[in-house]
Amino acid sequence: MIVRYLLLISLCFYHNADAQKHRTQIPDSLKNKDFDYLFDRIVDDSIPSSQRSVYMLSFLIKAKSEEDWEELSNAYKNYVHHAPERYKLMYADSMVIAAKKTNDDEVIGAAYLSKGIAYYGKKRLKEAMDIYLIADEYVKNTNDNYLIYKTKYHIGQIKYYLGFYEEAIVIFKDCINYFKRSDPRAYLNSLHSLGVCYNMIGNHGLCSSVNETGLAEGMQTGIRKMEPYFIHSEGVNQIMIHNYEIGIRKIQASLPRIRLNKDFANETVGYFYIGKGYWALDKRENALVYFKKVDESYVERDYMRPDIREAYEYMISYYKDKNMFKTQLFYVERLLEVDKKLHYTYAYLQGKIRKEYDTKELVEEQKNLKSSLNLRKYNDQIGLSIISIMFMFMVYGIVKYFKNKKEARKKYEELLKKIEEADKANADKGEEAEFSMSKDAEIAVLQSLQKFENSKKFLESDLTLTKLAGYFNTNTKYLSQIIARHRNKKFNEYINNLKVENIAQRIRNEKFLQNYTHDALAEEAGFSTTRRFVNAFISSTGITPKYFIEELKKEDISG
């Protein structure tokens, strides 16, 4: 622990020194870029790691120089995702330190949750559980349901590991109901977790049904990253119901993409069940190869799960039958070591989940019930007091409400009119003395601009003025002038307005989007963060996305 914190201090010192050293060495082209621009390039998989590191460092320096603690926390989160494995947890500590300076429970809770996920990714479950509990303390004080359910999902994963499958099923069902309306990827993750729980309690029919649903939903939403996991889950399910050859084929088909994801845990589980299938088919030499891969994962990754420890029992039996007593003893001693570690981890996690999470929820429920009863007991007295106080402000509140509502309604009607006129041509503008482009060239660029808008190319996440000028075979100066002259906007405002107009039109016409959260709508609209989406929406329309959706729903109800 001491060594770790010394390394953390050294790392923070390095970043402070390094940021100062390289501040003037950051490319001029990045100096005035905002966090959105930098983040879009950090997450762009097509950008080489050497270039990504420049964007990451620029993001970090910008956040530090502006003392923007939320973005500094995000800067370290970028490093958690993209830094070498040996540094990830130290960056996670820095991420939490920055988040705490915001004094915002939502930002702090999100940082702790990301740190816990980093530990879980390394299958260091004890540390992950400790940090999830801290995250839970923060997120329960927020109104961010997405963050609350995300934390709940990861605690459900711990329950699954401990074998509390029925309890995990309840959690994953709750997550499915929430994420189905707001986050397709989290919805698919929750479906997958529900399926493996059904497998573990022996409900293999429901497991297959969930896997089929997951594959179909992945096809429908276009999110194919979870496809190998549903195939993997169904392969394990088939092994459990003795369809060994089918199960082996399915798991083997899923493993290449799982390896690409560097998911050593599911890779190891797949090896165990392939081995189990071969053992049942009396192909013990084949089975042995896969059981040894399970042992390799334990030695190299320190990864083990209660159900796959059986690999050692198979190997012990194999070498006993071969009279290879030295090798048999080796795996007996390895199994004792594994069982000791599993027992310690299981006992630790069970204590945490039962005493610090489940009991806390029961106490909270008890507290709420008592409060409810006390409130009911003194309801008349409290009600009279509240009515007396509220009456003093009633007239003022009503006047203010209707004034704000009238203004918001006006903005709403302006937005609807703007949507209805979205396909109409812009009015011609008079010539400007300083506009030096030829009329033919101007018309050509305007035609390209119209095609760009009609094809919704503005939804590209890495779009820049330079790139767009390249598409149109013109230069940035002329393109900027044309956008200013014919669209009356600067480039960034122009792109943001197109995104807002597009998502507003979709929300109006595609009713299911009206049930999406702001997080999901931001992603649909092509914004990198929810905050930037909401700000752009308000800037462009004068109203919030929430108000816009509420008014649309009222109109639908009234017919």
Side-chain angles (χ1 to χ4, degrees):
M1 184 63 74
I2 293 172
V3 171
R4 184 177 165 205
Y5 281 104
L6 286 174
L7 284 170
L8 177 60
I9 292 168
S10 299
L11 187 65
C12 291
F13 173 78
Y14 165 78
H15 271 303
N16 285 327
D18 194 59
Q20 294 296 327
K21 179 180 177 181
H22 290 84
R23 187 181 301 274
T24 57
Q25 297 179 20
I26 294 175
D28 291 340
S29 59
L30 298 182
K31 284 184 178 179
N32 296 319
K33 299 299 183 183
D34 59 19
F35 290 112
D36 269 348
Y37 178 90
L38 297 171
F39 179 76
D40 288 343
R41 278 142 190 80
I42 291 168
V43 298
D44 187 344
D45 292 335
S46 67
I47 291 178
S49 58
S50 58
Q51 291 182 26
R52 179 182 289 114
S53 64
V54 175
Y55 293 120
M56 288 167 63
L57 182 60
S58 299
F59 195 114
L60 180 69
I61 292 172
K62 180 177 173 63
K64 283 186 176 182
S65 64
E66 295 178 6
E67 295 189 354
D68 187 330
W69 305 120
E70 181 178 355
E71 294 293 6
L72 183 59
S73 180
N74 290 332
Y76 284 118
K77 187 181 292 186
N78 292 333
Y79 280 95
V80 171
H81 290 311
H82 297 289
E85 286 293 326
R86 63 184 181 278
Y87 295 131
K88 286 182 183 293
L89 297 181
M90 288 185 287
Y91 284 120
D93 287 332
S94 297
M95 172 180 62
V96 169
I97 290 169
K100 285 184 175 180
K101 292 185 179 181
T102 67
N103 292 319
D104 184 326
D105 286 344
E106 188 175 324
V107 176
I108 300 169
Y112 269 115
L113 180 58
S114 294
K115 181 178 178 180
I117 294 169
Y119 274 103
Y120 188 86
K122 292 179 176 293
K123 301 308 170 189
R124 292 174 59 173
L125 303 187
K126 297 194 299 295
E127 294 95 333
M129 187 67 222
D130 288 340
I131 297 166
Y132 288 159
L133 291 172
I134 297 172
D136 186 59
E137 285 293 323
Y138 283 101
V139 302
K140 73 179 184 182
N141 297 324
T142 74
N143 295 320
D144 189 336
N145 285 328
Y146 176 81
L147 193 57
I148 290 169
Y149 274 92
K150 190 175 179 182
T151 304
K152 192 173 185 178
Y153 168 82
H154 285 285
I155 290 175
Q157 293 290 341
I158 300 293
K159 282 183 175 283
Y160 163 73
Y161 173 82
L162 291 171
F164 302 146
Y165 302 122
E166 298 287 356
E167 296 172 26
I169 285 171
V170 172
I171 288 177
F172 294 135
K173 282 183 175 180
D174 284 346
C175 291
I176 286 168
N177 290 333
Y178 175 75
F179 289 128
K180 187 173 184 178
R181 304 187 302 271
S182 60
D183 189 321
R185 178 61 191 271
Y187 166 56
L188 292 175
N189 283 335
S190 301
L191 271 177
H192 174 256
S193 297
L194 179 64
V196 296
C197 284
Y198 280 141
N199 187 10
M200 288 300 181
I201 64 172
N203 200 329
H204 302 293
L206 273 179
C207 177
S208 289
S209 177
V210 169
N211 290 330
E212 288 174 7
T213 300
L215 289 169
E217 292 287 297
M219 291 281 288
Q220 182 177 342
T221 60
I223 300 174
R224 307 294 293 274
K225 290 184 178 180
M226 286 301 296
E227 188 175 271
Y229 291 93
F230 288 111
I231 295 172
H232 181 281
S233 173
E234 186 56 28
V236 173
N237 194 43
Q238 292 298 319
I239 295 290
M240 299 290 277
I241 58 177
H242 312 307
N243 293 330
Y244 301 116
E245 292 181 349
I246 295 174
I248 289 169
R249 284 200 303 271
K250 285 184 177 292
I251 298 172
Q252 286 178 331
S254 72
L255 285 179
R257 282 188 283 175
I258 287 174
R259 288 192 199 100
L260 284 176
N261 295 335
K262 299 180 181 178
D263 183 355
F264 65 86
N266 275 299
E267 182 182 355
T268 303
V269 171
Y271 290 148
F272 169 72
Y273 282 99
I274 291 174
K276 189 169 184 174
Y278 277 129
W279 188 275
L281 293 170
D282 203 26
K283 296 180 180 180
R284 298 194 171 188
E285 300 294 337
N286 291 357
L288 196 66
V289 172
Y290 288 95
F291 292 144
K292 286 184 176 180
K293 288 179 180 291
V294 174
D295 181 55
E296 287 172 11
S297 181
Y298 171 71
V299 173
E300 296 173 8
R301 300 277 194 169
D302 195 28
Y303 177 68
M304 184 50 57
R305 214 171 74 174
D307 57 322
I308 67 174
R309 65 172 289 285
E310 192 180 5
Y312 292 103
E313 295 181 358
Y314 285 120
M315 288 192 286
I316 290 166
S317 173
Y318 175 86
Y319 288 112
K320 181 180 179 180
D321 291 344
K322 296 289 185 181
N323 294 321
M324 298 173 67
F325 301 118
K326 188 174 180 180
T327 309
Q328 178 189 352
L329 177 61
F330 173 82
Y331 285 112
V332 166
E333 290 176 344
R334 180 61 57 79
L335 181 56
L336 289 171
E337 177 188 327
V338 165
D339 280 345
K340 183 178 179 181
K341 183 164 290 188
L342 282 173
H343 175 75
Y344 172 72
T345 303
Y346 187 94
Y348 180 89
L349 291 173
Q350 188 179 45
K352 287 283 181 179
I353 205 82
R354 288 302 190 208
K355 294 177 183 178
E356 296 190 28
Y357 181 71
D358 292 345
T359 302
K360 181 178 66 179
E361 287 198 335
L362 288 173
V363 170
E364 188 69 24
E365 185 177 355
Q366 179 192 46
K367 180 181 176 183
N368 291 337
L369 285 171
K370 285 183 176 180
S371 298
S372 179
L373 290 172
N374 289 334
L375 184 62
R376 184 176 297 175
K377 183 178 179 180
Y378 298 105
N379 186 58
D380 291 341
Q381 295 177 2
I382 295 172
L384 287 171
S385 300
I386 292 173
I387 291 170
S388 299
I389 294 169
M390 291 297 293
F391 185 76
M392 297 170 61
F393 298 98
M394 186 177 295
V395 175
Y396 171 77
I398 291 173
V399 171
K400 185 176 180 181
Y401 169 76
F402 281 106
K403 183 180 178 181
N404 291 341
K405 188 173 182 180
K406 183 178 179 181
E407 184 65 26
R409 182 68 192 185
K410 181 181 177 183
K411 295 289 186 183
Y412 168 74
E413 289 171 355
E414 288 174 358
L415 177 56
L416 284 188
K417 184 177 180 182
K418 196 172 182 181
I419 291 172
E420 290 167 358
E421 296 175 351
D423 295 329
K424 294 181 180 179
N426 290 313
D428 293 335
K429 303 290 189 299
E431 295 293 331
E432 297 174 9
E434 72 279 10
F435 196 74
S436 58
M437 195 179 209
S438 71
K439 191 66 178 178
D440 289 342
E442 180 184 357
I443 290 171
V445 174
L446 274 173
Q447 289 174 344
S448 297
L449 202 62
Q450 190 63 50
K451 288 180 182 178
F452 164 76
E453 293 169 0
N454 293 341
S455 63
K456 295 182 171 51
K457 292 292 186 181
F458 51 81
L459 293 175
E460 287 187 19
S461 61
D462 59 347
L463 192 64
T464 63
L465 182 63
T466 302
K467 182 178 284 189
L468 191 58
Y471 289 162
F472 296 170
N473 292 320
T474 186
N475 60 51
T476 56
K477 178 182 176 182
Y478 286 153
L479 180 56
S480 181
Q481 287 179 342
I482 286 176
I483 291 173
R485 183 183 188 196
H486 292 275
R487 301 297 187 261
N488 296 317
K489 296 177 182 73
K490 293 183 178 179
F491 177 75
N492 286 336
E493 182 188 3
Y494 165 66
I495 295 298
N496 283 345
N497 282 6
L498 286 175
K499 289 180 178 181
V500 169
E501 289 172 12
N502 177 65
I503 194 64
Q505 193 170 40
R506 287 188 62 199
I507 291 170
R508 188 187 185 198
N509 298 329
E510 302 172 26
K511 304 298 183 187
F512 66 92
L513 288 176
Q514 296 175 15
N515 296 317
Y516 273 30
T517 64
H518 283 178
D519 296 320
L521 287 175
E523 186 174 346
E524 288 286 334
F527 288 92
S528 60
T529 68
T530 305
R531 183 177 67 181
R532 291 174 183 120
F533 161 62
V534 173
N535 288 343
F537 199 98
I538 294 171
S539 176
S540 178
T541 67
I543 58 175
T544 66
K546 181 180 179 182
Y547 178 82
F548 178 56
I549 291 171
E550 287 173 348
E551 290 299 303
L552 288 173
K553 287 182 176 178
K554 287 178 186 176
E555 290 191 1
D556 288 341
I557 292 171
S558 63

